[in-house]
Amino acid sequence: MSTIRYRFIAPAPMLAQRRPAAPPARGELVACHECDLLQRLQPFSGDSVQRCARCRALLLRYRVDGAQRSLAWALTGVMLFLITNAFPIVTLELQGIRNNSTLAGTVLSLWHEGLPIVAGVVAITTICVPGIMLAAMLYLLLPLNRGVLPAGSIGLLRALAAMRPWGMVEVFLLGVLVALVKLTHFASVIPGTALWSLGALVIALAAMSASFHADEVWRRIGIQPLKP
Amino acid sequence: MTAAHYRLANCHSCGLLSRLEGDGAHCPRCGAHLHLRKPASIARTWAYLIAAMILYIPANALPIMITGSILGEQRDTILSGVVFLWSSGSWPLALLVFFASIMVPMLKMIALTLLLISVQCRSRWQPLQRLKLYRLVEFVGRWSMLDIYVVAILAALVQIQSLATVTAGPGAVAFAAVVVLTMLSAMSFDPRLIWDPLNDATPEPATPEPATPEPREPRASPDALPR
Ligand SMILES: [Zn+2]
Ligand SMILES: [Zn+2]
């Protein structure tokens, strides 16, 4: 794995321009991504949350130990993800006949019923996106916590941002609970190991995303010189 | 003052503010295409929205779940599933499914239509409230996937040939498509368009000021804005 040492640019240059970098006197110029208001960030050294003056959209959230926290949650998340995928979510018992289903089993049964599109949507939102996001976060955060920026960070950060809305583990958890209540009317249902780990995974993924500040990694990347 | 006024573009991918020089400019930090607003935002949002509206009809008319038992075959649409839950006494669940599967997609499509029309009319009415509506649409959209997951789990679990089988129906395909399309529609909408008519209303300097990183006019200075 080839790595490049990151350059600290703190605070980041006011504008993306190739000119001698004079430290900005009154903080970095930013535009709100929801109302486009141009404003300056307050200079900060420690934890900071800054919002748009006009629409209160989040401009910046920074925690000094954000990278450590998100790494801890990502490691927890990976373990929970593996458990969730390895064990059955629910076992159904009806007149002595038992049937259980794993997460992958749910996708496969939809596939065999001739609904590949629905099977694909379920697989992407509950297995692929959370799994890839966790792997990408580990790849990014393990070197980052040692002060090294891994190769391919730019593409990875962009992919992470694009993937995030499509991970729907929390909706799936609610779906499992609704299905459980529906089934209790005519059969006995036994919650499986994966149901508990799924609940924990929802928390781990939410905490990982909340403590990860892509903005901070972008600052470390700095501005790559443009090719002429 | 908005960034667009100074032809400064916020990178949609990494958030870096940089000067837009000509068409086809790229972000100096991450290489993403730079533009002042999401390209063809209104047209794309309409396209996804209309596709979702069309598919909303089969999503509700076709059975989403087919239950086979000794008593025969029962075909449930989303609405009849809610009615069944209600009549079997689990009304909190009926409300939850009704809200997530029927109310949310419908309100989402109405909200996006209103946002699009108001933006196209260059309306200056309550921009903050409209922005909040947009944030709500973005936040709540994913929860409509609930019914798809419920059907998926039931179909995987209830496979006891002699007693009962559950299979997902064609309505599930249409409904999943509606959820994905409304999410894509909300993503392609650019909330900054809501504010643009207000920004244009403020008198502009007589000579278009070159985009300087340090605007010197006190009126135009971002520092004059409330923090
Ligand atoms: Zn704003
Ligand atoms: Zn960028």
Side-chain angles (χ1 to χ4, degrees), chain A residues 15-17 26 31 34-36 38 40 42 53-55 99 113 115 125 158 165 167 170 175-176 218 222 224, chain B residues 1-4 10 13-14 19 28-30 37 135 142 146 149 153 157 168 173 195 199 213-214 223 226-227:
Chain A
L15 285 173
Q17 279 181 329
R26 281 167 298 172
E34 289 191 4
C35 76
D36 211 29
L38 199 60
R40 282 177 201 286
Q42 312 275 9
R54 180 159 72 172
C55 76
N99 195 8
E113 280 166 24
L115 296 170
T125 53
R158 291 178 67 174
E170 70 279 21
V176 176
W218 282 120
Q224 303 289 322
Chain B
M1 273 308 123
T2 61
N10 220 359
S13 158
C14 75
R19 189 186 300 171
R29 182 157 71 181
C30 73
R37 298 289 176 265
R135 285 179 189 159
R142 53 209 280 104
L146 182 71
Y149 293 140
I153 296 153
L157 217 49
V173 184
W195 299 87
N199 303 331
E214 284 269 17
D223 289 326
R227 304 238 176 210

Side-chain angles (χ1 to χ4, degrees), chain A residues 45-116:
Chain A
S45 50
D47 298 354
S48 176
V49 176
Q50 298 189 28
R51 291 182 179 278
C52 172
R54 180 159 72 172
C55 76
R56 312 301 296 158
L58 197 67
L59 290 179
L60 172 130
R61 181 191 274 149
Y62 173 70
R63 279 191 81 115
V64 178
D65 56 354
Q68 279 135 289
R69 278 167 185 265
S70 45
L71 177 61
W73 284 114
L75 287 168
T76 317
V78 167
M79 281 187 286
L80 291 168
F81 181 78
L82 295 176
I83 297 170
T84 306
N85 279 282
F87 292 96
I89 303 170
V90 197
T91 304
L92 178 82
E93 198 180 270
L94 189 63
Q95 300 190 353
I97 306 165
R98 275 168 169 249
N99 195 8
N100 63 34
S101 179
T102 58
L103 196 49
T106 308
V107 174
L108 281 177
S109 80
L110 284 173
W111 183 273
H112 291 311
E113 280 166 24
L115 296 170

